[in-house]
Amino acid sequence: MPESTTPRTPIRPKERFLIFGRPTIEEPEIAEVVDSLRKCWLGTGPKVARLERDFAAYKGVPHAVAVHSCTAALQLSILAAGLHPGDEVITTPLTFCATVNAILHAGAQPVLADVDRRTMNISPEAIERAITPRTRAILPVHFAGRACDMDAIMDIARRRKLVVIEDCAHAIETTYKGRKAGTFGDFGCFSFYATKNMTTGEGGMVLTQNEAQAARIKMLALHGMSKDAWKRFSDEGYKHYSVVELGYKYNMMDIQAAVGIHQLPRVERWLERRAEIWARYDRAFADLPAELPAPTEANTRHGLHLYTLLIDEERAPVSRDGFLDGMTANGIGVGVHYMSVPEHPYYQQRFGWKPGDWPVAMALGRRTVSLPLSAGLSDEDVSDVIAAVRAVLAR
Ligand SMILES: *Cc1c(COP(=O)(O)O)cnc(C)c1O
């Protein structure tokens, strides 16, 4: 290991630090937010309704319900699926904590099934092994934007009569055999958090084929009030509302949707830009002591949300954490997606989970780093990332 990863002259000085996951905000969303403010319609209203319609159309499904986060989307989907306390939901250990937290907030029991070494996605064989008489649902995550093996997962779900809830936080543009991510299972959940492929600041969306389920999610997202409660302050006169079950305050605001309705039409163009950056990274890093993302599976489209390197700690001059420090010292923001869920003390204490019980996710989580991949990166930004990676790894 080297004595220090601090460069004498950083590739980018502090004033030009390249922020990881920086969103791209253009003039139309700024004008649309101002329009919401001028009209004084801040909360859930016509702009949320438009984002729901536009997103459903983009995905080719009949129903989309906007909520304030993907975490909320996952929790409400699990509730709408009718799971009871103690029911088990099988998910991946290589995900953001929100996936597991949503299961817990819905009162269900998370059960982890290890990932495939190459795709980093939940392994269908591991799902089979994790099934018990209490299993009610599978919650796959399309990791980094790479489609899960949906044929195998849907086959298990049909045979075992399990609900499928897709975590599509990375997978807005992802397709599998021509079909869009989030349209396979009973529910597809999306994130519009600031670092995701499109943003509303904070925000999320639930897709479902089922009208009754969509209405239920809408109701659960707004206090459990009977439908269209948001219309009650309109100019059509006062309308009484009824609370028909215990709901939450998870609705999206028009101020958020104002951003989203202008981001959505750009996601395909932004995907093309990220594909260019991805190809440049693949070419630039082929000779380094790090493993590049596996080629995309035939018949699928990768959403290209995260470009990950697996640091080869045997051959590299730095450890994974040394790489993170070296990049930061060179003015490049980096991420880790993710330390496996059982690495966190909360889950260890509550469930007795040990990282080594899911060895593939543990090993990946301890070696992985994510590089900047926003569509807004300039060619020069990308050159700086490449120069920094080479400066830290190619010694
Ligand atoms: C970001 C993310 C979430 C949570 O999304 P929010 O909108 O921030 O709640 C859930 N799952 C995965 C895989 C994520 O990356």
Side-chain angles (χ1 to χ4, degrees), residues 69-71 74 95-96 98-99 141 167 169-170 191 193 196 203 338:
S69 68
C70 181
T71 312
L74 291 165
T95 185
F96 187 50
T99 312
V141 176
D167 181 337
H170 303 173
S191 175
Y193 179 63
K196 304 290 159 84
Y338 300 90

Side-chain angles (χ1 to χ4, degrees), residues 58-338:
Y58 172 66
K59 283 290 186 176
V61 294
H63 308 287
V65 180
V67 288
H68 80 196
S69 68
C70 181
T71 312
L74 291 165
Q75 182 187 344
L76 296 185
S77 295
I78 296 164
L79 290 170
L83 269 65
H84 299 295
D87 285 349
E88 293 176 356
V89 179
I90 297 175
T91 193
T92 168
L94 199 67
T95 185
F96 187 50
C97 59
T99 312
V100 170
N101 290 355
I103 296 170
L104 290 168
H105 287 310
Q109 195 67 18
V111 172
L112 305 180
D114 211 349
V115 296
D116 177 82
R117 167 74 183 72
R118 200 188 72 87
T119 64
M120 308 193 192
N121 276 327
I122 193 165
S123 145
E125 295 76 40
I127 293 174
E128 293 267 18
R129 283 196 297 275
I131 290 174
T132 76
R134 300 163 79 97
T135 307
R136 288 287 315 282
I138 308 172
L139 203 167
V141 176
H142 301 287
F143 181 82
R146 184 187 301 274
C148 288
D149 184 348
M150 291 314 293
D151 279 350
I153 291 171
M154 295 312 294
D155 178 59
I156 296 170
R158 270 188 293 272
R159 279 190 285 110
R160 307 282 190 146
K161 299 199 172 23
L162 304 176
V163 172
V164 173
I165 299 163
E166 299 171 68
D167 181 337
C168 299
H170 303 173
I172 290 171
E173 312 84 347
T174 300
T175 66
Y176 175 88
K177 300 191 177 171
R179 189 160 161 188
K180 293 178 172 163
T183 70
F184 287 85
D186 301 78
F187 302 95
C189 299
F190 293 81
S191 175
F192 306 137
Y193 179 63
T195 60
K196 304 290 159 84
N197 290 356
M198 69 167 266
T199 189
T200 59
E202 300 280 358
M205 191 73 81
V206 183
L207 297 187
T208 166
Q209 316 281 341
N210 180 314
E211 185 171 3
Q213 292 287 40
R216 177 99 195 284
I217 287 182
K218 201 163 232 175
M219 188 171 66
L220 283 169
L222 197 61
H223 305 298
M225 289 172 169
S226 59
K227 83 176 171 30
D228 292 343
W230 60 269
K231 286 185 186 156
R232 72 190 195 279
F233 299 116
S234 75
D235 53 10
E236 290 159 28
Y238 186 86
K239 291 202 176 53
H240 289 289
Y241 59 86
S242 309
V243 175
V244 294
E245 68 177 307
L246 181 63
Y248 300 83
K249 190 71 205 308
Y250 288 169
N251 56 307
M252 181 185 276
M253 299 170 73
D254 259 27
I255 297 178
Q256 296 166 285
V259 178
I261 57 185
H262 295 285
Q263 296 255 308
L264 180 59
R266 295 188 208 119
V267 295
E268 292 290 319
R269 175 153 54 83
W270 283 341
L271 179 70
E272 285 172 27
R273 174 61 185 153
R274 292 197 305 281
E276 287 172 10
I277 300 169
W278 190 284
R280 273 190 76 188
Y281 285 166
D282 271 354
R283 284 194 299 274
F285 304 143
D287 63 323
L288 295 180
E291 217 172 293
L292 310 188
T296 302
E297 292 66 28
N299 239 329
T300 71
R301 180 164 76 155
H302 198 304
L304 308 182
H305 177 58
L306 297 170
Y307 188 96
T308 58
L309 290 175
L310 293 175
I311 306 299
D312 181 346
E313 292 197 333
E314 316 251 286
R315 285 164 54 228
V318 288
S319 65
R320 189 277 298 277
D321 288 358
F323 178 87
L324 298 173
D325 292 343
M327 291 297 285
T328 308
N330 273 304
I332 308 287
V334 280
V336 171
H337 302 86
Y338 300 90

